Amino acid sequence: MLSKLEEGVDTTLRQSGLSMRSGASAGSWLAYLLPIAIIQGAFVHPSEEYNEAAVFSSGLLGASVALVLHLQGCHGPTLSRFNLIFLVPSIVTALLFVFISGKGFLNSLLAGLFASLPVSVGVPIALQNIPGTFSFGEIAVVIQGVLLFIFTSIANISSRINHDHFDSMEKCTLILQTALLGLSVICILVTAFPGLRQLRPILALIVGIMGGVVLPALFIIFRENPLLWILHFITDDIQRVYLMVYWVICCFFAVSSVRVQVQNKQHASSAVRKIFHVLILAVYLPGLAWECTLLYLSSGVALAFLILAEMVRLLKLGPLGSYLQEGFVVFADEKDSGGISLTPIYLLIGCSLPMWIHPSRCALRAAVMLPVLSGLVSVGCGDTAASVIGSLFGKNKWPGSHKSVEGSLACVTSQIALVIILSYSGMFQLTWFLALRLAVAAFAVTIVEAKTDQVDNLALPLVLYILLV
């Protein structure tokens, strides 16, 4: 049944002239993973805030299902028509907010509409206006992630305005949420007003939004300067200072790798691109082991810088825009077919998302650390091993796939090996039950890696997270 639904979505989209990413099927199954991950996390780690995110995610999941059903047998002009089935998830989600979260009817209705309609209506619109960049499932995950971020950010910021005390993790969360909301406003304004797409107007806009709105808002919430708090937070512990120096060295190595590749004017192979997967392992593992809160803050800052860098590249702003374009030309792969450099953003999100969405992200217990490590284990280690070993020694191909059996064996064994090594290093204690669960999950992720034509950096961490949380 699922395969028939997938074929129906794929056929409908292509017959309607919507251009998905080259070489990718619809991948509608991918649209279910993020909501399921949030909902499952709420059952395992219940809390008031996480339960609200789970209710909102039920609307995201329902909207994805409704859109898939709408696309069955739909074609041509009827694709863009509003279907009453889109309202069903909104109503159900609103009722769940009323009875589970105890929200008022109007707020619940607005939250239900916000959870479902942008997915049901926005996915076809995005495929039409950003052709050749996403599959159906990939753009659905992106839209879901943006909606979930906006909802949880507004809910968290509004509930924290009158608080007197915040721990470090709460402050980092508020800083990231407020700053990324400000960055979202900047991106929307630049998209809506072409006159802002020059270096000086953009710099003025960034200074105005960040300096005139974001920083004052955080100052009001914290009752202290957020920039000074970040500086004090980093320098207050010498271990954090050492870790920051180490991360700067890793960043320098990454930039140097790009520069060498640009100077040689050689298009990077898949194995060469995996250097960045190894680097992200080198950055994240020490952070999770010793300074998880600092890693959490830094990952959000890195996401903001990647988004800004891509804006600079697309708008060709100054020498930096030209340099970024040169790097894009030599490192772009088939997943960047739409002209937007999404691969590095996907890599960062894939490795960070389990940490961002887990309720107990920094608890050094195996039951918590395994799902938090999902992105690093599946993408940083498993996908890297599959690519390198498969390209060097892969001779036996899976039926209907360019992936090799040798690469898949490297994928599953490397995932299990990494977790065992981390366990023996003292990062957490791995029980036999969790080890068996890991083995089954790693095998499932390997099958997905071998068979899917969706973006590995999005799909694999979510699959492993769901199986381990």
Side-chain angles (χ1 to χ4, degrees):
M1 180 179 177
L2 291 177
S3 61
K4 290 184 178 179
L5 289 175
E6 174 74 4
E7 291 175 4
V9 172
D10 195 79
T11 301
T12 298
L13 293 174
R14 297 188 189 281
Q15 288 179 348
S16 302
L18 296 182
S19 176
M20 292 188 291
R21 180 170 55 79
S22 176
S25 60
S28 57
W29 58 272
L30 189 58
Y32 309 136
L33 296 185
L34 179 58
I36 290 174
I38 301 296
I39 295 169
Q40 186 174 350
F43 280 105
V44 179
H45 305 277
S47 67
E48 182 178 350
E49 293 179 358
Y50 208 77
N51 288 343
E52 286 195 0
V55 172
F56 187 83
S57 296
S58 69
L60 300 175
L61 179 61
S64 300
V65 173
L67 180 56
V68 169
L69 294 176
H70 169 68
L71 292 174
Q72 301 305 306
C74 183
H75 58 86
T78 60
L79 177 64
S80 58
R81 290 180 183 174
F82 185 83
N83 193 324
L84 290 178
I85 195 176
F86 295 161
L87 293 176
V88 175
S90 301
I91 296 171
V92 173
T93 306
L95 292 175
L96 289 175
F97 270 116
V98 171
F99 292 109
I100 295 179
S101 301
K103 289 186 174 294
F105 177 77
L106 180 58
N107 288 337
S108 299
L109 181 60
L110 292 175
L113 291 171
F114 185 64
S116 60
L117 290 186
V119 175
S120 301
V121 178
V123 168
I125 292 176
L127 289 174
Q128 182 177 10
N129 288 278
I130 317 174
T133 304
F134 304 96
S135 70
F136 173 90
E138 291 161 7
I139 189 60
V141 171
V142 171
I143 293 176
Q144 289 170 351
V146 171
L147 294 174
L148 184 63
F149 166 75
I150 293 174
F151 172 79
T152 54
S153 296
I154 293 176
N156 186 50
I157 293 170
S158 61
S159 67
R160 294 291 192 274
I161 291 178
N162 295 319
H163 278 217
D164 295 324
H165 176 73
F166 304 93
D167 60 31
S168 297
M169 181 60 73
E170 289 174 334
K171 283 191 174 183
C172 289
T173 300
L174 287 167
I175 289 170
L176 292 180
Q177 289 176 336
T178 308
L180 288 173
L181 283 176
L183 180 59
S184 301
V185 172
I186 292 171
C187 293
I188 291 171
L189 291 175
V190 170
T191 303
F193 300 100
L196 294 174
R197 300 172 192 172
Q198 302 294 328
L199 184 57
R200 288 185 178 179
I202 283 184
L203 289 176
L205 183 63
I206 292 174
V207 172
I209 296 293
M210 294 299 178
V213 179
V214 171
L215 287 178
L218 289 171
F219 190 90
I220 292 172
I221 296 173
F222 295 162
R223 296 177 178 86
E224 64 176 317
N225 190 317
L227 295 179
L228 291 179
W229 179 85
I230 293 174
L231 182 62
H232 177 74
F233 173 69
I234 295 173
T235 58
D236 189 50
D237 189 328
I238 191 62
Q239 185 169 260
R240 294 183 192 134
V241 176
Y242 290 152
L243 194 59
M244 289 295 296
V245 172
Y246 167 69
W247 286 346
V248 169
I249 295 172
C250 290
C251 291
F252 177 79
F253 182 79
V255 173
S256 299
S257 301
V258 174
R259 185 175 181 180
V260 169
Q261 201 72 27
V262 169
Q263 289 176 341
N264 292 336
K265 297 181 180 180
Q266 294 179 347
H267 193 271
S269 64
S270 178
V272 171
R273 288 194 294 270
K274 297 306 177 183
I275 291 174
F276 298 100
H277 290 232
V278 176
L279 273 174
I280 208 163
L281 276 175
V283 168
Y284 272 57
L285 289 178
L288 282 173
W290 297 317
E291 290 294 342
C292 181
T293 304
L294 179 60
L295 175 66
Y296 174 72
L297 175 63
S298 302
S299 65
V301 174
L303 176 62
F305 272 107
L306 283 180
I307 294 173
L308 282 173
E310 183 58 12
M311 183 189 301
V312 170
R313 186 191 71 83
L314 289 172
L315 299 179
K316 302 176 182 178
L317 299 177
L320 180 58
S322 301
Y323 179 78
L324 292 172
Q325 177 60 25
E326 291 176 351
F328 172 75
V329 170
V330 297
F331 275 95
D333 63 7
E334 66 277 3
K335 303 286 195 314
D336 298 314
S337 58
I340 302 177
S341 182
L342 291 171
T343 298
I345 298 176
Y346 284 154
L347 176 60
L348 177 67
I349 290 176
C351 291
S352 304
L353 186 61
M355 176 177 59
W356 292 342
I357 66 176
H358 199 285
S360 305
R361 58 183 67 92
C362 287
L364 293 179
R365 306 191 309 272
V368 172
M369 286 305 296
L370 281 182
V372 170
L373 286 165
S374 296
L376 299 176
V377 171
S378 60
V379 173
C381 186
D383 183 51
T384 302
S387 177
V388 174
I389 300 300
S391 61
L392 294 177
F393 306 106
K395 296 180 180 179
N396 303 292
K397 304 296 183 182
W398 289 107
S401 173
H402 67 279
K403 304 291 181 68
S404 68
V405 176
E406 292 83 358
S408 295
L409 289 174
C411 181
V412 67
T413 54
S414 64
Q415 292 179 79
I416 297 172
L418 175 62
V419 174
I420 291 175
I421 291 171
L422 294 177
S423 176
Y424 273 100
S425 71
M427 190 172 181
F428 53 82
Q429 185 176 0
L430 188 65
T431 64
W432 281 106
F433 172 74
L434 288 175
L436 178 60
R437 190 175 176 184
L438 168 67
V440 173
F443 182 74
V445 166
T446 300
I447 294 175
V448 174
E449 192 277 335
K451 295 296 184 180
T452 188
D453 55 9
Q454 304 301 298
V455 172
D456 292 336
N457 295 349
L458 288 180
L460 302 187
L462 286 170
V463 170
L464 189 58
Y465 181 90
I466 290 171
L467 294 173
L468 293 179
V469 72

